[in-house]
Amino acid sequence: MKALVATEYQALDRLALADRPMPSAGPGELVLKVEAAALNPLDLALVTGAARELYPVRHPLVVGMDVAGTVEEVGAGVVGYAPGDPVLAFVGQAGAVAEYTVAAPGPRLAPRPPGLDAVRAAALPESGMTAVCLLRAVGLRAGESVLVVGATGGIGLYAVQLAHSLGARVIATATAQDAAYVRELGAADTVDYRERDVVQETLTLVPAGVDVVVDLVNRGDGLAESARAARPGGRLVSPLYGPPDLGREVSPVYIGSFTSEPGDLESLARRAADGTLRVEIGARYPFAEAVTAVTDFATKHIRGKVVVTVP
Ligand SMILES: NC(=O)c1ccc[n+]([C@@H]2O[C@H](COP(=O)([O-])OP(=O)(O)OC[C@H]3O[C@@H](n4cnc5c(N)ncnc54)[C@H](OP(=O)(O)O)[C@@H]3O)[C@@H](O)[C@H]2O)c1
């Protein structure tokens, strides 16, 4: 089978479609026929080696972790799935930009409901489950105010919608070209991070400071700066790492690796299928142009997810 492969830590434009052995389903595993795969920032860091200390790679690496497709083969002991079933999954380093991959039943694999096509389904797992995990970890509640920094990215577009549906007042970062769209998703206000000081603008909107900051962009001391938008006693959550003490009595929650509970991915898929969760596809590429998909994702502003379709 063909897959998008890195043979060593390497520049993104040196990726290539290459032959890989057809996977087989071991006990407790499924082989999936991939129809669509979505990209995430970690995929790039695994290729270049930028994340090698936290996430060492065994080469050859098949790029991508988010897939949608159908069950091709069912391993011994697997119940609840049969060949031909439409599914979506986060498959980790089994690799997603490929004709076939391997997944294991659990919270990171879900049936794909009618009405959810493979392209939108592939755009859900990592970003969607991370958004759910972050909001759960920070305990966002109805009536609270929340600043989402990085709201127009993969996680951010889901975080804005999920926070709004929880009943929170959402302030979202977005450039002028994306502001109207982010408001449609539920943001009450937007702040143009390219033109304005996000903390100052947020404090103009909520002078006492927001209850919660969800920061998907900054790391390290940059998170202490974002925390200035929170009220004393507020909370900040990040999928990256920052200092243990943010000042202003703001409590940090750092999620090094997202965790998912049973039903999280099913719920995201159900909401995407019934239209209560919008899935923004920023760009889609045929399998033959998978290298361009990766380099564009790394270099261009693309609102929403980048998806590669596999024939
Ligand atoms: N811990 C975990 O389990 C976990 C899981 C998933 C992701 N992550 C990490 O979480 C981060 C976000 O992931 P993602 O998938 O949402 O990334 P993404 O799709 O690349 O989105 C990032 C967004 O932030 C915007 N942005 C850039 N600089 C900004 C700024 N100064 N202020 C406001 N917005 C800004 C970007 O806009 P432009 O396009 O204009 O730059 C983009 O829309 C990444 O670092 C990723 O590695 C961690």
Side-chain angles (χ1 to χ4, degrees):
M1 68 150 189
K2 293 275 188 216
L4 184 65
V5 172
T7 52
E8 58 186 341
Y9 293 123
Q10 61 189 66
L12 300 173
D13 61 5
R14 288 191 44 238
L15 289 167
L17 290 172
D19 287 315
R20 294 291 304 140
M22 174 71 190
S24 59
E29 291 180 339
L30 301 165
V31 171
L32 308 183
K33 182 175 188 338
V34 179
E35 291 174 35
L39 299 176
N40 292 285
L42 181 59
D43 301 334
L44 310 181
L46 292 183
V47 172
T48 62
R52 76 176 83 182
E53 282 179 15
L54 278 177
Y55 301 102
V57 165
R58 266 214 346 240
H59 293 101
L61 170 77
V62 175
V63 176
M65 302 184 183
D66 279 344
V67 298
T70 52
V71 174
E72 178 76 10
E73 186 190 337
V74 179
V78 174
V79 289
Y81 289 96
D85 285 352
V87 293
L88 67 159
F90 175 84
V91 298
Q93 286 194 25
V97 187
E99 290 176 300
Y100 296 90
T101 189
V102 174
R108 296 176 175 197
L109 172 74
R112 181 153 48 95
L116 182 61
D117 59 86
V119 169
R120 289 187 305 134
L124 284 169
E126 182 175 334
S127 296
M129 288 191 286
T130 304
V132 170
C133 170
L134 295 174
L135 297 183
R136 181 181 287 139
V138 81
L140 184 70
R141 296 183 291 271
E144 291 193 311
S145 52
V146 56
L147 167 66
V148 181
V149 180
T152 45
I155 302 171
L157 289 172
Y158 296 129
V160 166
Q161 297 180 74
L162 296 171
H164 173 66
S165 69
L166 282 171
R169 174 189 175 185
V170 181
I171 300 168
T173 57
T175 58
Q177 73 188 72
D178 295 331
Y181 179 77
V182 176
R183 282 204 181 91
E184 274 175 40
L185 298 184
D189 298 283
T190 56
V191 179
D192 186 341
Y193 59 92
R194 298 232 175 114
E195 300 292 330
R196 317 290 292 199
D197 181 307
V198 172
V199 169
Q200 282 312 320
E201 287 292 308
T202 303
L203 292 173
T204 303
L205 292 163
V206 184
V210 292
D211 298 299
V212 171
V213 175
V214 177
D215 191 329
L216 307 167
V217 172
N218 295 294
R219 61 182 78 216
D221 290 339
L223 289 167
E225 171 61 18
S226 296
R228 291 179 45 244
R231 65 172 169 79
R235 293 103 73 205
L236 175 145
V237 67
S238 158
L240 304 168
Y241 288 104
D245 181 4
L246 292 171
R248 286 180 61 81
E249 301 165 40
V250 175
S251 320
V253 186
Y254 300 127
I255 304 293
S257 287
F258 74 90
T259 52
S260 30
E261 294 190 358
D264 285 350
L265 190 56
E266 278 93 337
S267 168
L268 289 161
R270 201 169 44 246
R271 294 170 72 157
D274 71 19
T276 52
L277 182 72
R278 280 179 53 183
V279 178
E280 174 78 346
I281 306 301
R284 55 191 284 176
Y285 298 81
F287 192 48
E289 290 170 25
V291 178
T292 308
V294 172
T295 54
D296 282 359
F297 179 54
T299 55
K300 293 186 176 168
H301 168 75
I302 298 173
R303 184 182 78 198
K305 299 295 296 181
V306 171
V307 176
V308 176
T309 53
V310 182

